[in-house]
């Protein structure tokens, strides 16, 4: 995919093993935020239920589950997301769950975007800061200042300051909608405060004011009119322009949106100044004692790459794609990447994506798996380590097997989470009143459902996974010809132990559930996962060994599955997903839920104005249809039938376009439209990340539709005309090209330029290991073996030092050329005060 611009592509992983300390927490905060009378702080703290949210500026994008009544909640949740828009702060808020009133903010941690690099990859404690409404700001303002001299009839008069407030960008939403902003502009100093005000701009986060205000700075000695203030010449240096942004509350109180202050000294050398400023908290933020509210432990991994045009990456990409053909495979560029970035697990993912896109993944996996098998001495340890081969296959299964897991595991997992039945069978951990026989029956029921779902799912196993399993099976049989079971254990070690069992244990990591389970459900999943591992471990079944269960209670439980028909089911399943017969993807028999959640839906056929036209609806997307319901739809009909009947069903095959909707259409952010045979469906997502996810999943399954539109209307048809192009007919062709349709094929949805850039960045930041590997090749070639620094060299796989050194040299050349391309195109010194590099701080200090 060629790119003529240089976009900044972002990703962020926010890990929240968060611990809220109970020290130095004055109960007066609860009096303020919860309106309580004098109470004992410890008693009130014990009743506290908390949750944590993640926000881009003031827009919440994720939240954890509520943690019940604890001063030290361990949220332990992972969130990985693409950042779809510019932002200033990544913030984490702790809230106390309100029973009969709104949730109450307790504290926050805000990290400025430019500081994320300092914290990336580190797990550390951050002091919670108070959540002050006057500090919750975002956006930037464009100002112009000009100093001129006003001439009177008597000669030179006073100096006049002209301040033009041009526009703002990125102001926050108020109650989920665009604000009604206005600005106040003031010239302030030791002896004056002269205020002006702009007009209110309705329903916009990017208001254009274009208003100019004049202020007198000094007066001439001959000026006779009495002044309301006295100005000394030296006081001019202390004057500053203060700009405040407000949301007009109409009948309610106006809401502060942010401020900036600019010293008049900026005009000392030149009489003209024009720049963008980031809005700041009121008073530039209040100072608080650290640790007043406790601390939050975070691990944030932040990656920002500048992606160049496709032609720049061709040499590096070709070198990596050539890897499966290099002999030995350890001398290939892809294997060298794995060696150099051995401790960087994230290095494998872009490599797998790149090879997958170009249909080169299977031969590469075959080659690295063959290398691992050469070094495996016993059949019962096959593919048990954390090698390059196993990591690549793990990532491959996670990428291509997402829908497979959805159809196989999600229905049973949803039932486990929703019903929340006790499954504890350890006598030591049983709670008072628990019945071990009932618990065992519950556990056995869940295991049987998951086991049956897995062993009956071979027709849905992705073709790519089957190709890899077939190759592993063949190589394992060839490596250990006397062991009849190794052909099965080579496959089961991946599909059961590293795929299904791991997904059951951590459904959140595989996008099967929105949050990590609570401790009781987590215990249930642990027991199920251990049983599934043993059921799928061919060695344990075929040899009738239960050595994996050291606990007596698990040994007794598992004996009920030790039947010949259970072994036959596993054998049949492994045969079907790794046979020599080429398998075509048959698709899912039942509807597969791809995404569901609460949204705001625009009522169709209504007038444009009015909040009542937007209603909360439960939106659900399957591989067959898009539907919305009045209330949430529960998977388990035994629990509730609420929301079961759909208010509207749209066949995925009838979707003609999925596109963003202009913010001006309804004065709302994060809106998209689904164009189908009837009127467009207008939907507002909860935040920018959610909007992108909805559009992605809908586009994925409608890109191949025959009647897709080439153009669409980015706004609405109201008042007898399209608001975007003023076309009069509601059937008029769209005025903007649709997003380029691509086949609904995972391989085509991978951005190879981005993946190659990521690989380049990883190689660059590991330049020291790159050099050590070059030295190791030279040493081995000269001394016929690693005579020096053997421990250091043993970390690298060097079978052929000359061939490996040649590849390293080629890698070095293409990396240097790519770095040159970056240096030519990047402008790290964008003018301070420009739109892309706005001025930060309360005021400018000039020397």
């Amino acid at each position: 995919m060629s790119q003529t611009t240089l976009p900044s592509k972002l990703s962020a992983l926010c890990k929240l093993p968060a611990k809220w300390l109970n020290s130095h927490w004055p109960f007066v905060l609860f009096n303020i935020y919860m309106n309580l009378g004098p109470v004992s702080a410890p008693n009130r703290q014990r009743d506290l239920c908390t949750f944590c949210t993640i926000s881009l500026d003031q827009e919440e994008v994720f939240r954890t589950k509520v943690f019940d009544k604890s001063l030290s909640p361990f949220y332990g949740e992972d969130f990985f997301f693409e950042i779809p828009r510019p932002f200033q702060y990544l913030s984490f808020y702790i809230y106390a769950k309100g029973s009969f009133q709104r949730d109450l903010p307790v504290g926050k941690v805000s990290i400025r975007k430019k500081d994320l690099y300092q914290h990336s990859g580190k797990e550390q404690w951050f002091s919670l800061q108070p959540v002050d409404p006057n500090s919750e700001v975002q956006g930037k303002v464009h100002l112009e200042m000009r100093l001129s001299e006003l001439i009177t009839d008597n000669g030179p008069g006073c100096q006049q300051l002209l301040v033009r407030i041009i526009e703002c960008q990125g102001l926050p939403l108020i109650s989920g909608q665009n604000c009604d902003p206005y600005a106040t502009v003031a010239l302030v100093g030791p002896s004056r405060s002269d205020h002006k005000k702009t007009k209110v701009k309705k329903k916009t986060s990017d208001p254009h004011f274009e208003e100019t205000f004049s202020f007198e700075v000094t007066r001439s000695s001959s000026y006779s009119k009495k002044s309301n203030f006295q100005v000394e010449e030296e006081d001019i240096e202390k004057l500053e322009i203060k700009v405040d942004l407000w949301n007009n509350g109409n009948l309610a109180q106006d809401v502060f949106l942010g401020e900036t202050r600019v010293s008049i000294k900026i005009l000392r050398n030149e009489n003209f100044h024009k720049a963008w400023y980031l809005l700041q908290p009121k008073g530039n933020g209040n100072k608080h004692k650290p640790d007043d509210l406790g601390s939050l432990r975070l691990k944030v991994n932040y990656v920002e790459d500048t992606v160049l045009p496709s032609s720049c990456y061709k040499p590096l990409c070709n070198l990596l794609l050539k890897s499966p053909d290099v002999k030995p495979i350890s001398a290939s560029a892809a294997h060298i990447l794995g060696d150099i970035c051995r401790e960087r697990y994230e290095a494998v993912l872009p490599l797998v994506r790149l090879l997958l896109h170009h249909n080169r993944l299977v031969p590469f996996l075959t080659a690295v798996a063959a290398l691992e098998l050469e070094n495996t001495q016993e059949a019962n340890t096959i593919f048990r380590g954390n090698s390059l081969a196993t990591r690549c296959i793990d990532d491959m299964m996670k990428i291509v097997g997402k829908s497979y897991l959805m159809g196989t595991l999600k229905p049973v997992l949803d039932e486990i989470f929703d019903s929340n039945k006790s499954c504890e069978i350890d006598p030591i951990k049983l709670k008072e009143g628990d019945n071990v026989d009932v618990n065992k029956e519950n556990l056995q029921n869940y295991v049987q459902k998951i086991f049956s779902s897995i062993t009956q799912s071979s027709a849905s196993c992705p073709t790519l996974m089957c190709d890899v399993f077939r190759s592993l099976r063949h190589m394992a049989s060839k490596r250990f010809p006397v062991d009849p079971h190794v052909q099965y254990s080579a496959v089961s070690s991946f599909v059961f132990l590293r795929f299904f069992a791991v997904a059951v244990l951590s459904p959140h990591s595989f996008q099967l559930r929105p949050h990590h389970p609570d401790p009781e459900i987590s215990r249930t999943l642990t027991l199920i996962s251990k049983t599934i591992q043993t059921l799928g471990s061919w060695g344990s079944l075929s040899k009738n060994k239960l050595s994996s269960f050291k606990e007596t209670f698990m040994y007794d439980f598992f004996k009920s599955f030790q039947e010949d028909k259970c072994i036959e089911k596993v054998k049949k399943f492994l045969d079907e997903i790794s046979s020599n017969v080429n398998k075509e993807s048959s698709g899912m028999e039942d509807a597969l839920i791809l995404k569901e959640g609460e949204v705001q839906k625009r009522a169709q056929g209504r007038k444009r104005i009015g909040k009542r036209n937007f209603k909360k609806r439960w939106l659900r997307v399957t591989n067959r249809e898009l539907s919305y319901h009045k209330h949430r739809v529960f998977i388990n009909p035994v629990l509730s039938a609420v929301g079961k009947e759909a208010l509207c069903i749209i066949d995925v095959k009838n979707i003609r376009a999925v596109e963003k909707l202009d913010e001006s259409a309804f004065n709302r952010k994060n809106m998209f439209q689904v164009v189908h045979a009837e009127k467009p469906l207008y939907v507002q997502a909860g935040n920018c990340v959610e909007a992108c996810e909805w559009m992605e999943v809908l586009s994925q399954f409608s890109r191949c539709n025959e009647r897709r539109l080439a153009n669409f209307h980015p706004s609405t048809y109201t008042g007898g005309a399209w608001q975007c192009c003023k076309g009069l007919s509601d059937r008029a062709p769209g005025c903007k090209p649709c997003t380029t349709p691509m086949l609904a094929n995972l391989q085509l949805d991978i951005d190879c330029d981005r993946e190659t850039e990521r690989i380049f960045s990883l190689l660059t930041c590991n330049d020291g290991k790159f050099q050590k590997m070059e030295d190791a090749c030279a040493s081995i070639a000269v001394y016929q073996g690693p005579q020096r620094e053997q421990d250091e060299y043993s970390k690298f796989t060097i079978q052929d030092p000359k061939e490996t050194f040649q590849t390293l040299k080629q890698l070095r050349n293409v990396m240097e050329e790519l770095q040159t391309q970056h240096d030519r195109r990047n402008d790290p010194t964008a003018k301070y005060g420009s739109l892309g590099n706005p001025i930060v701080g309360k005021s400018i200090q000039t020397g």
Side-chain angles (χ1 to χ4, degrees):
M1 180 173 62
S2 297
Q3 298 173 0
T4 55
T5 59
L6 306 179
S8 180
K9 300 194 175 181
L10 315 177
S11 63
L13 171 67
C14 305
K15 188 176 182 181
L16 298 178
K19 200 168 186 179
W20 186 9
L21 296 183
N22 57 5
S23 59
H24 305 101
W25 188 13
F27 70 88
V28 66
L29 291 174
F30 289 97
N31 287 338
I32 295 173
Y33 289 113
M34 298 180 69
N35 297 317
L36 298 175
V39 296
S40 169
N43 290 337
R44 174 54 52 189
Q45 291 172 6
R46 280 197 293 269
D47 294 336
L48 195 65
C49 299
T50 63
F51 62 91
C52 182
T53 68
I54 306 174
S55 295
L56 295 173
D57 296 324
Q58 303 307 306
E59 182 180 11
E60 180 186 320
V61 292
F62 290 105
R63 67 169 56 192
T64 67
K65 292 190 303 182
V66 177
F67 203 102
D68 290 339
K69 299 180 181 180
S70 173
L71 286 171
S72 301
F74 185 85
Y75 299 112
E77 299 210 28
D78 303 332
F79 298 95
F80 177 86
F81 59 101
E82 300 288 328
I83 300 177
R85 63 169 179 81
F87 71 102
Q88 298 177 35
Y89 289 91
L90 179 66
S91 300
F92 305 84
Y93 292 82
I94 298 293
Y95 285 90
K97 186 67 178 176
S99 300
F100 304 105
Q101 53 184 316
R102 65 184 180 87
D103 299 330
L104 303 169
V106 175
K108 69 173 182 178
V109 171
S110 291
I111 307 174
R112 193 184 293 272
K113 177 187 173 183
K114 68 181 182 66
D115 297 329
L116 282 171
Y117 290 110
Q118 304 175 27
H119 308 291
S120 184
K122 302 174 184 176
E123 187 172 293
Q124 57 191 113
W125 290 96
F126 293 86
S127 297
L128 288 174
Q129 301 299 321
V131 180
D132 177 10
N134 288 329
S135 69
E136 302 299 292
V137 302
Q138 70 178 63
K140 44 196 164 188
V141 59
H142 197 191
L143 299 177
E144 179 183 293
M145 297 169 53
R146 187 186 302 271
L147 194 62
S148 61
E149 191 171 44
L150 185 64
I151 306 298
T152 67
D153 294 336
N154 299 324
C158 64
Q159 279 191 314
Q160 189 179 53
L161 177 65
L162 299 178
V163 179
R164 182 164 72 107
I165 178 167
I166 305 170
E167 61 177 315
C168 293
Q169 282 193 7
L171 297 181
L173 300 178
I174 302 296
S175 300
Q177 299 187 46
N178 286 324
C179 53
D180 296 332
Y182 69 89
T184 59
V185 184
L187 178 65
V188 295
S191 58
R192 71 164 77 183
S193 183
D194 192 3
H195 290 265
K196 315 281 185 177
K197 178 182 175 181
T198 68
K199 295 178 182 178
V200 176
K201 299 296 180 180
K202 293 291 186 180
K203 302 300 179 185
T204 177
S205 296
D206 303 316
H208 286 259
F209 293 106
E210 289 293 349
E211 294 191 43
T212 302
F213 303 98
S214 61
F215 300 91
E216 292 181 0
V217 178
T218 61
R219 300 186 185 281
S220 66
S221 57
S222 61
Y223 193 72
S224 59
K225 187 176 179 179
K226 186 176 180 181
S227 173
N228 293 326
F229 47 82
Q230 299 297 320
V231 179
E232 297 294 337
E233 188 67 29
E234 59 270 18
D235 288 339
I236 297 177
E237 293 289 299
K238 301 176 183 178
L239 294 177
E240 62 183 11
I241 286 293
K242 178 173 175 286
V243 178
D244 287 1
L245 270 296
W246 298 86
N247 176 62
N248 182 36
N250 294 319
L251 299 179
Q253 184 177 359
D254 292 355
V255 178
F256 176 76
L257 300 179
E259 72 170 28
T260 191
R261 297 171 179 241
V262 185
S263 172
I264 299 299
K265 291 189 293 184
I266 196 68
L267 299 172
R268 184 165 52 190
N269 298 323
E270 295 184 7
N271 290 338
F272 177 81
H273 173 70
K274 184 177 181 181
W276 283 88
Y277 287 84
L278 283 178
L279 293 175
Q280 300 296 310
K282 184 170 287 188
N284 207 31
N286 299 321
K287 303 300 182 181
H288 299 277
K289 294 181 180 179
D291 298 324
D292 283 344
L293 304 176
S295 301
L296 188 68
R297 194 170 85 226
L298 299 170
K299 184 176 182 181
V300 178
N301 289 323
Y302 177 77
V303 176
E304 179 176 343
D305 288 328
T306 301
V307 183
L308 303 176
S310 297
S311 58
C312 300
Y313 297 107
K314 194 171 183 179
L316 178 56
C317 184
N318 288 342
L319 196 57
L320 292 164
L321 296 178
K322 195 171 68 173
S323 296
D325 304 322
V326 175
K327 306 294 184 196
I329 189 65
S330 60
S332 67
H335 197 284
I336 288 172
L337 171 69
D339 257 3
I340 290 176
C341 304
R342 189 182 298 270
E343 291 82 20
R344 301 289 297 270
Y345 182 80
E346 69 270 25
V348 172
L349 184 58
L351 175 63
V352 170
R353 287 180 176 272
L354 185 67
L355 295 173
L356 176 62
H357 176 86
H358 291 279
N359 292 313
R360 300 290 285 159
L361 183 59
V362 174
F364 177 72
L365 291 178
T366 301
V368 293
L371 177 60
E372 181 171 339
L373 282 170
E374 287 180 17
N375 299 319
T376 303
Q377 303 303 319
E378 297 183 11
N380 59 0
T381 62
I382 191 169
F383 298 125
R384 293 300 176 93
N386 192 26
S387 64
L388 177 61
T390 56
R391 286 187 295 160
C392 285
I393 296 174
D394 285 348
D395 274 345
M396 177 275 295
M397 293 191 297
K398 199 168 184 178
I399 294 170
V400 305
K402 182 178 179 180
S403 295
Y404 182 35
L405 286 175
M406 285 279 186
T408 308
L409 297 183
K410 194 175 191 304
V412 186
L413 289 173
D414 287 339
E415 181 182 346
I416 294 171
F417 275 74
D418 293 337
S419 60
N420 198 18
K421 295 179 181 178
S422 177
C423 296
E424 185 56 72
I425 59 176
D426 185 352
I428 299 176
K429 296 183 179 181
L430 285 173
K431 296 181 180 178
E432 185 177 352
D434 275 357
N435 187 317
V436 68
D437 293 329
V438 173
N439 290 359
K440 184 179 292 186
E441 184 179 348
N442 292 337
L443 181 60
Q444 189 167 4
N445 180 47
Y446 288 146
V447 171
Q448 192 61 56
K449 284 184 177 181
I450 288 181
F451 179 70
S452 297
S453 181
I454 292 172
T455 54
Q456 295 172 14
S457 69
S458 60
S460 304
C461 186
T463 304
L464 184 67
M465 288 175 62
C466 293
D467 291 341
V468 173
F469 295 153
R470 183 167 57 250
S471 179
L472 294 176
R473 178 176 179 169
H474 172 73
M475 290 189 296
S477 298
K478 188 176 179 180
R479 175 70 177 87
F480 300 100
V482 298
D483 190 329
H485 303 297
V486 72
Q487 60 176 319
Y488 295 109
S489 59
V491 178
S492 67
S493 63
F494 283 104
V495 71
F496 277 101
L497 274 64
R498 305 177 78 105
F499 186 57
F500 285 120
V502 177
V504 169
L505 188 63
S506 183
H508 173 68
S509 301
F510 288 80
Q511 292 82 50
L512 298 174
R513 294 290 301 183
H515 296 289
H516 284 302
D518 59 37
E520 187 169 345
I521 293 178
S522 180
R523 174 62 177 167
T524 298
L525 297 181
T526 299
L527 296 172
I528 295 173
S529 179
K530 292 179 70 173
T531 310
I532 292 298
Q533 285 186 48
T534 307
L535 282 170
S537 178
W538 183 256
S540 295
L541 284 171
S542 60
K543 299 175 183 178
N544 197 26
K545 290 183 178 180
L546 297 177
S547 57
S548 58
F549 289 133
K550 296 182 174 60
E551 311 96 331
T552 304
F553 65 89
M554 283 300 294
Y555 181 91
D556 294 336
F557 170 74
F558 188 76
K559 282 195 297 186
S560 60
F561 295 95
Q562 284 288 79
E563 303 175 1
D564 290 341
K565 63 179 182 180
C566 184
I567 299 176
E568 287 303 312
K569 285 182 179 179
V570 174
K571 180 178 182 295
K572 182 175 181 292
F573 171 69
L574 295 176
D575 280 335
E576 289 171 343
I577 64 172
S578 62
S579 65
N580 289 324
V581 179
N582 288 330
K583 171 182 168 297
E584 297 296 332
S585 178
S586 60
M588 304 298 298
E589 292 297 326
D590 299 322
L592 174 64
I593 299 174
L594 304 171
K595 183 173 176 61
E596 58 181 341
E598 190 175 77
V599 299
Q600 292 278 348
K601 187 196 74 69
R602 167 73 155 96
Q604 301 193 37
R606 297 286 184 87
K607 293 181 180 180
R608 185 184 180 205
I609 307 299
K611 290 184 179 179
R612 64 182 181 277
N613 289 339
F614 281 88
K615 295 184 177 180
K616 289 183 179 180
R617 290 292 182 256
W618 188 263
L619 194 64
R620 166 178 281 184
V621 182
T622 73
N623 54 333
R624 293 179 178 178
E625 62 189 28
L626 165 68
S627 61
Y628 59 82
H629 309 250
K630 191 171 184 179
H631 301 290
R632 179 180 180 182
V633 182
F634 289 91
I635 300 298
N636 188 350
V638 175
L639 296 177
S640 176
V642 174
K644 188 173 180 61
E645 295 297 327
L647 299 177
C648 178
I649 297 176
I650 301 172
D651 194 319
V652 169
K653 294 181 180 178
N654 293 331
I655 295 178
R656 299 180 180 178
V658 182
E659 300 290 345
K660 288 184 179 179
L661 194 68
D662 280 354
E663 181 182 319
S664 59
F666 298 107
N667 290 317
R668 290 178 176 237
K669 287 182 178 292
N670 306 321
M671 288 202 67
F672 63 92
Q673 57 180 315
V674 181
V675 185
H676 57 106
E678 304 298 327
K679 295 181 179 180
L681 178 66
Y682 299 123
V683 179
Q684 183 184 27
N687 54 65
C688 57
V689 174
E690 278 283 314
C692 289
E693 290 178 353
W694 280 114
M695 293 178 62
E696 180 181 359
V697 72
L698 284 166
S699 297
Q700 176 70 27
F701 280 85
S702 64
R703 284 171 178 163
C704 293
N705 291 351
E706 294 180 358
R707 301 184 65 187
R708 278 194 62 92
L709 298 178
N711 298 285
F712 76 103
H713 291 285
S715 192
T716 57
Y717 184 80
T718 53
W722 288 100
Q723 299 306 302
C724 44
C725 61
K726 307 305 177 185
L728 299 180
S729 172
D730 61 347
R731 300 292 180 181
C735 56
K736 185 176 180 180
C738 288
T739 304
T740 304
M742 296 186 295
L743 295 176
N745 184 322
L746 175 69
Q747 294 172 325
L748 296 179
D749 290 339
I750 294 173
D751 187 340
C752 291
D753 296 338
R754 173 179 175 166
E755 305 304 338
T756 311
E757 170 62 30
R758 188 89 287 271
I759 291 171
F760 163 72
S761 297
L762 288 165
L763 287 171
T764 301
C765 69
N766 284 275
D767 186 69
K769 293 182 180 178
F770 197 103
Q771 183 62 53
K772 286 181 179 179
M773 194 170 190
E774 287 181 321
D775 295 342
C777 289
S779 176
I780 295 171
V782 172
Y783 297 103
Q784 300 300 312
Q787 303 296 319
R788 297 178 294 116
E789 303 180 28
Q790 185 169 354
D791 291 340
E792 184 68 35
Y793 290 171
S794 65
K795 295 179 181 179
F796 305 122
T797 305
I798 303 175
Q799 295 173 292
D800 186 332
K802 292 183 178 180
E803 187 70 25
T804 304
F805 187 82
Q806 183 64 27
T807 305
L808 286 166
K809 185 178 179 181
Q810 293 173 332
L811 271 173
R812 177 75 74 181
N813 291 337
V814 298
M815 287 169 59
E816 288 176 355
E817 176 58 29
L818 195 50
Q819 185 61 56
T820 301
Q821 297 288 346
H822 270 285
D823 294 340
R824 289 175 182 172
R825 288 172 167 81
N826 288 348
D827 182 17
T829 57
K831 183 180 178 182
Y832 192 44
S834 64
L835 177 62
N837 189 17
I839 295 172
V840 180
K842 182 176 177 180
S843 62
I844 291 183
Q845 301 296 329
T846 56

